[in-house]
Amino acid sequence: MEPFVRLTGVAAPILTGNVNTDVLVRVEAMINVPKGKLGPYCFEVWRYLPDRSDNPDFILNQPAYRNAKILLAGVNFGCGSSREPAVWALWDMGFRCVIAPSFGDIFFNNCFQSGMLPIVLPADVIVSLAEDAKAFGDVAPDFTVDLERQVIIAPSGRQTPFKVDELKRHALLEGLDDIGVTLAIAQRITDFQTADRNARPWVYNV
Amino acid sequence: MGASSLFEKIWSSHVINELGDGFALLHVDRHILHDLNAMKSLVELRERGYAVRNPELTIATPDHGVSSLPGRDINTNAAGTALLRGYLEETKRAGIRAFDVNEDGQGIVHVIGPELGLTQPGHLIVCGDSHTCTHGGLAALGFGMGRSEVIHVLATQTIYQKKPKQMRINFEGVAGHGVTPKDLILYLIGQIGADGGNGHAVEYAGSAIRAMPVEGRLTICNLSIEFGAKVGMIGPDDVAYQYLAGRQMSPKGADWDRALAYWKSLTTDDGASFDHEVSIDVAKVAPQITWGTSPQQVISVEDAIPDPSSGANAADTTAMREALDYMGLTPGRPIAGTAIDAVFIGSCTNSRLSDLREAAAVARGRKVKEGVQAWVVPGSQQVKQAAEAEGLHGVFRQAGFEWREPGCSMCLAANGDLLARGQRAVSTTNRNFEGRQGPGVRTHLASPAMAAAAAVSGAIVDVRKMMV
């Protein structure tokens, strides 16, 4: 996994609540398009008109936000299905960080698995970040997200602190491989199963 | 130790390693793979140099990508052929029991788990599918996960989780005629919102739950994720034990006696504390129907389509307006009478025998309205066979419904089963998201009885008016 330490880039606001994972990536793309190529399928239901041309009203189609790396989002972002390609689609579109008042629980976990930083902040704080993210013509200002210091630095220099669970922060900073970490304590899994087999034999008698 | 909840008892008995801040490494008792993730997960596992740690605790079924067309095989849905072939090859290579497309036992992951007796009280069950909360209907701790977590479980038979907060939802009283478990849970989502359960494990309790058969409980738990709760569960009782007795994978002989004693110890203790508690008087609930593009956008079938100006705030008003626009509905009009193009009865929410009986009772002796495409997709081979044994397929066919093969089908439209842009459907599924049943398709969620009533009426209708 690619480590996440510090990121500088444009922040795009999509403050609609309950953005679901079907909106982030449709199931057909999930099946047929490999990881790494999902960018054009992210927000598919919103970013294209029925004839597949770009919907000019969709914010990520506007020149100022086309290269955004940070997404400012609404409540319950990533609700719905467990599809990890929802995170990959955002990643392939260039996003590395999503800031929302709350997340779908499975999507939230999936972000950490893929090197995407999800940050939880109160809705009013995100609204004020969105104010700072306003574009001038075709140019939107840069924000910096610093995971080491756990702070967001707005274009004005204003700093907004945030908090990520230490275990997840460490894994992101180091780009850790979960499986490697777990297999280092494989003996504990074996010990657990041995004891559990005595306590609940029916679980293992298959 | 003080009073504990069902959830706490199962959680703590599965902890292998405490990691602080509520994080733990948990043992996985059962891992269910499906065709959408099996091949890609197993290939990636192998390429990264890992092996499946406990193939005997893993099981697989094809559901998401299979066509429901009668006479189907793995080639029927061309887009899914490679996925299904890979599913069969990779599970075989890994030594995982995997059902073939038309084999006895095949079906939707969350339908076959309970019916095989694989789902048991106290089990920690995971699957790369958000509706794994369904298994909580039999007092299992089940939750969905993403691809990376699937691979981690394959390699280690464990998963990292942060302990969620706890919520108890009490359904009290007796539901009115024509009001089903689906209506109760949709009503709840309308009350507490699509994010009302975020970060929580939910336990459903109350007299209405205790009186409910297992299949209804599975429907209730299935929709937990639609209000943000990754886990939804119901305490084990005689209803659950009787359901499990004698099933193919249920414990047998001395194992059964030991298991039963253990299961009885899992119920929530008096005085156990919950972070939130909600009570619903089920007598007040009417048949429900969604009007928008989030499950929280739901009303009673006797209500009018809401006006966006009634939104809780500006964001809510905007979301409501966008949803009405997508759905092609006019605020203020009664939702009943809205003409429909299609009806879909199926999915991990409502495709079990009791659901099909409920729909068939409405369809019996009636005809699907001309121009309406009406499908019944049983949740599993077992459900299909049981329904056919009591003649339900005949009832549906005679009424003009298509009787199809088991799978997820039109619930997520990943298998060639989908509707056309602009079409309006009443579906017994779990998600009315934009494009869920095909790009531009408009989905109204409802119970099997309400869906059958809509099929024969050609419009959304209060099923109670059609019942004697």
Side-chain angles (χ1 to χ4, degrees), chain A residues 180-194:
Chain A
V181 172
T182 308
L183 289 180
I185 58 158
Q187 189 55 46
R188 294 183 66 163
I189 302 172
T190 304
D191 293 346
F192 178 94
Q193 289 187 331
T194 305

Side-chain angles (χ1 to χ4, degrees), chain B residues 50 98 106 133 162 183 214 233 306 308 391 408 417 419 431 468:
Chain B
Y50 301 119
Q106 178 267 341
C133 48
K162 184 171 183 172
D183 299 301
V214 166
M233 35 198 338
C408 301
D417 296 353
L419 295 167
R431 290 187 175 136
V468 279

Side-chain angles (χ1 to χ4, degrees), chain A residues 26 84 182 193 198 200 205, chain B residues 27 147-148 152 160 255 435:
Chain A
R26 287 186 50 76
E84 198 161 322
T182 308
Q193 289 187 331
N198 287 322
R200 300 186 305 152
N205 292 342
Chain B
H27 185 258
R147 181 86 54 81
S148 300
H152 186 275
Y160 292 99
D255 269 356

Side-chain angles (χ1 to χ4, degrees), chain A residues 143-182:
Chain A
F143 285 68
T144 293
V145 177
D146 187 332
L147 180 58
E148 217 148 37
R149 293 175 50 224
Q150 300 191 90
V151 68
I152 299 163
I153 304 158
S156 63
R158 187 167 59 98
Q159 303 207 355
T160 305
F162 65 87
K163 191 100 188 70
V164 175
D165 281 316
E166 192 44 41
L167 191 79
K168 297 291 187 186
R169 188 175 85 98
H170 176 69
L172 270 184
L173 286 171
E174 302 292 329
L176 290 181
D177 165 21
D178 259 7
I179 298 178
V181 172
T182 308

Side-chain angles (χ1 to χ4, degrees), chain B residues 112-128:
Chain B
I112 69 162
E115 79 183 6
L116 290 171
L118 174 145
T119 306
Q120 295 167 24
H123 273 14
L124 192 148
I125 301 179
V126 295
C127 173

Side-chain angles (χ1 to χ4, degrees), chain B residues 234-393:
Chain B
I234 291 172
D237 59 8
D238 286 340
V239 175
Y241 311 143
Q242 281 162 22
Y243 175 92
L244 283 167
R247 292 196 180 256
Q248 193 182 327
M249 296 182 182
S250 292
K252 305 286 185 313
D255 269 356
W256 171 266
D257 297 335
R258 279 190 74 174
L260 189 62
Y262 173 74
W263 295 344
K264 287 180 175 173
S265 75
L266 293 175
T267 47
T268 292
D269 299 331
D270 289 341
S273 71
F274 290 83
D275 298 282
H276 292 284
E277 196 137 6
V278 176
S279 285
I280 301 284
D281 176 1
V282 304
K284 289 186 179 155
V285 180
Q288 303 287 299
I289 182 101
T290 63
W291 57 267
T293 54
S294 163
Q296 73 179 9
Q297 292 171 326
V298 64
I299 51 177
S300 297
V301 67
E302 59 211 358
D303 288 348
I305 296 160
D307 192 320
S309 63
S310 69
N313 50 49
D316 196 30
T317 294
T318 307
M320 288 173 76
R321 191 171 294 125
E322 286 170 357
L324 287 171
D325 192 39
Y326 178 85
M327 294 297 289
L329 294 173
T330 310
R333 285 216 195 135
I335 188 110
T338 306
I340 58 144
D341 305 293
V343 160
F344 175 71
I345 296 171
S347 86
C348 58
T349 309
N350 280 131
S351 65
R352 300 178 183 85
L353 187 59
S354 56
D355 300 314
L356 304 189
R357 284 176 180 159
E358 178 188 313
V362 176
R364 191 182 299 274
R366 295 190 168 101
K367 288 282 180 202
V368 170
K369 187 84 171 178
E370 204 182 320
V372 173
Q373 175 188 344
W375 284 15
V376 183
V377 177
S380 69
Q381 301 288 346
Q382 272 198 31
V383 170
K384 183 173 179 241
Q385 288 158 15
E388 289 180 351
E390 55 185 77
L392 300 185
H393 64 315

Side-chain angles (χ1 to χ4, degrees), chain A residues 78-150:
Chain A
C79 62
S81 91
S82 60
R83 60 188 69 169
E84 198 161 322
V87 178
W88 305 341
L90 283 166
W91 180 279
D92 290 350
M93 209 178 171
F95 290 104
R96 296 293 178 267
C97 173
V98 185
I99 305 173
S102 60
F103 288 89
D105 289 356
I106 304 176
F107 177 87
F108 188 72
N109 275 3
N110 287 344
C111 282
F112 289 107
Q113 300 284 348
S114 292
M116 179 84 69
L117 173 62
I119 296 175
V120 177
L121 285 175
D124 57 335
V125 174
I126 295 174
V127 168
S128 81
L129 290 173
E131 286 292 319
D132 291 345
K134 275 200 175 132
F136 297 92
D138 287 353
V139 181
D142 278 348
F143 285 68
T144 293
V145 177
D146 187 332
L147 180 58
E148 217 148 37
R149 293 175 50 224
Q150 300 191 90

